[in-house]
Amino acid sequence: MDTLGVSPTDVRIERHATQLSRQLKLLREKLFPPLSQKALRTFTSGEAAQMVGVSDGYLRQLSLDGKGPSPETTTSGRRSYTLGQINELRQHMAKVKPKDAGNYVPRRRAGEKLQTIAVTNFKGGSAKTTTTLYLAEYLALCGYRVLAIDLDPQASLSSMLGLQPEFDLEEGDTLYGAIRYDESRKPLRDIIRKTYFDGLDLVPGNLELMEFEHETPRALSDRQRSNGEMFFKRVGMAIGEVEDDYDIVVIDCPPQLGYLTLGAVCAATSLLITIHPQMVDVASMSQFLLMTSDLLSVVRKAGGDLQHDFIKYIVTRHEPFDAPQSQIVALLRSLFSDDVLTATILKSTAIADAGLTKQTLYEIERGQVRRSTYDRALESVNAANGEVLASIHKAWGRT
């Protein structure tokens, strides 16, 4: 403490961080008792039938015949299914109708490569993490095996998926543990965590990821430390260890163009760039694209794989009745044409309200927020995610 009795800035910030973390931990324990673990809601029989691709009456008859998973049934006869049970129903239908198995279980087929999508933007506030989360959950709801990787040291994705990084993770529990340069490196499979969302696994993030940014310059100057593996190949090599376990990997990149982001871009088969349609954000993105182009050119000449199946721009936090935003969206479409998704993700109080309890629209009950607001927001999210999935199918060669 100095002579004026004021604590140094680092001490004050550390105290604030500790107080906030403690309060967040208490809040999480209050929101998700008794073991502080998130759980996904169950789905009505009508929702389950729509997700599987059968009629509600067919599911009812299955239940009466004692076939398939046993739904939870209320005294009034209403049936509900967990996402795990819905996936069991998909497997059941694939066996009953083997010719249509691909429609019920749409997983990656022989000859189709793992799709790795890096969600990126240089500027914060573009809903990058929200976009990643909604895309990962949407794909899991569709029946795909999804791995979400949190590469942002701020770890918002991990937090939304039920972890509190400063309390729940130990050394080596992030992707850094699988791409570090020393003998402490461990297999990615040992780092991956199951989530409460069936079909969606997570590689968590926290501040430990910054170690890769600090260590890489030293490794570049000491070729022996890197074991001949260039930094931009390490993320892809780690993902390759679990390639057979997943259909799609979605990476939430940090909001800066560092070694982690470059590694993710090189590991990716596709890029999804978020855009908030404000002029300051678009100007920032222009600088981001110029910097990315320069850096990736160097990486490509050094042997980096920069062949991507698709690069798509997704407009987020969109207010369609805002005239300046409409002009910016029109400008982007005129410049990038089909590379801009047709659907935009609306700025919505429904998305914001769900986020207050670390949930998404896929997780909350429809009646928790105003229904018209919920329906409009969910429609926009589903439309955008559906376009991304269509691009994945195209890359796989599916019609």
Side-chain angles (χ1 to χ4, degrees), residues 42-338:
T42 57
F43 297 84
T44 66
S45 57
E47 290 175 318
Q50 185 177 22
M51 291 166 70
V52 175
V54 297
S55 69
D56 192 7
Y58 186 90
L59 284 192
R60 183 182 300 108
Q61 191 60 50
L62 272 183
S63 180
L64 292 173
D65 293 343
K67 297 179 180 178
S70 300
E72 180 181 330
T73 307
T74 65
T75 53
S76 61
R78 292 183 179 273
R79 291 166 291 113
S80 61
Y81 296 82
T82 66
L83 180 55
Q85 289 177 320
I86 290 171
N87 285 329
E88 288 180 44
L89 287 169
R90 287 174 166 139
Q91 294 288 348
H92 175 80
M93 293 305 302
K95 293 177 182 177
V96 172
K97 298 183 178 181
K99 289 185 179 180
D100 297 324
N103 295 328
Y104 295 113
V105 183
R107 292 178 178 176
R108 190 158 55 101
R109 304 163 189 169
E112 295 177 343
K113 67 181 179 182
L114 176 73
Q115 278 293 314
T116 301
I117 302 173
V119 184
T120 185
N121 193 312
F122 183 64
K123 191 176 186 301
S126 63
K128 178 178 56 61
T129 297
T130 303
T131 301
T132 304
L133 177 63
Y134 272 81
L135 177 59
E137 290 190 351
Y138 173 86
L139 294 169
L141 287 170
C142 289
Y144 295 94
R145 301 169 300 166
V146 184
L147 176 64
I149 299 179
D150 192 349
L151 268 191
D152 190 341
Q154 296 178 79
S156 297
L157 180 65
S158 301
S159 179
M160 289 294 289
L161 285 172
L163 293 178
Q164 193 162 350
E166 62 266 48
F167 292 106
D168 298 336
L169 303 181
E170 298 180 357
E171 182 181 357
D173 282 349
T174 71
L175 187 71
Y176 175 68
I179 63 176
R180 59 192 302 163
Y181 296 97
D182 58 26
E183 64 281 355
S184 296
R185 184 164 51 157
K186 57 185 181 181
L188 183 61
R189 187 169 280 104
D190 294 347
I191 298 171
I192 292 171
R193 297 189 177 209
K194 296 289 182 185
T195 71
Y196 58 92
F197 216 99
D198 193 70
L200 174 57
D201 293 348
L202 172 68
V203 176
N206 68 7
L207 290 174
E208 176 188 72
L209 288 164
M210 291 302 299
E211 293 297 321
F212 189 71
E213 303 291 347
H214 301 151
E215 288 293 324
T216 295
R218 287 193 283 267
L220 287 172
S221 64
D222 183 359
R223 291 298 181 91
Q224 288 185 342
R225 288 192 63 202
S226 64
N227 297 319
E229 301 168 5
M230 293 297 289
F231 75 89
F232 51 78
K233 293 185 177 181
R234 299 177 87 86
V235 175
M237 291 177 68
I239 294 173
E241 297 173 8
V242 296
E243 180 176 356
D244 294 339
D245 300 337
Y246 300 98
D247 306 308
I248 303 165
V249 176
V250 185
I251 306 176
D252 185 21
C253 296
Q256 68 265 351
L257 206 54
Y259 297 115
L260 284 169
T261 299
L262 290 173
V265 169
C266 289
T269 58
S270 310
L271 302 180
L272 189 61
I273 301 172
T274 57
I275 308 174
H276 181 216
Q278 295 278 6
M279 187 52 69
V280 65
D281 294 79
V282 173
S284 175
M285 189 187 73
S286 174
Q287 296 302 308
F288 166 73
L289 293 176
L290 288 170
M291 292 171 61
T292 302
S293 174
D294 289 343
L295 286 171
L296 291 183
S297 175
V298 175
V299 168
R300 178 172 53 80
K301 291 175 182 177
D305 182 5
L306 295 178
Q307 296 296 320
H308 294 104
D309 293 327
F310 61 86
I311 300 175
K312 296 290 184 181
Y313 298 89
I314 179 170
V315 176
T316 62
R317 297 173 58 215
H318 183 210
E319 299 174 76
F321 300 109
D322 183 296
Q325 286 199 16
S326 297
Q327 292 175 354
I328 291 174
V329 172
L331 171 65
L332 293 170
R333 295 198 192 286
S334 68
L335 292 174
F336 303 139
S337 187
D338 292 341

Side-chain angles (χ1 to χ4, degrees), residues 20-46:
L20 181 58
S21 293
R22 187 182 299 118
Q23 192 60 42
L24 288 173
K25 186 171 186 290
L26 292 172
L27 179 61
R28 186 185 68 164
E29 291 171 351
K30 181 179 179 181
L31 289 173
F32 308 113
L35 299 177
S36 302
Q37 297 296 318
K38 287 185 72 176
L40 182 61
R41 70 176 178 92
T42 57
F43 297 84
T44 66
S45 57

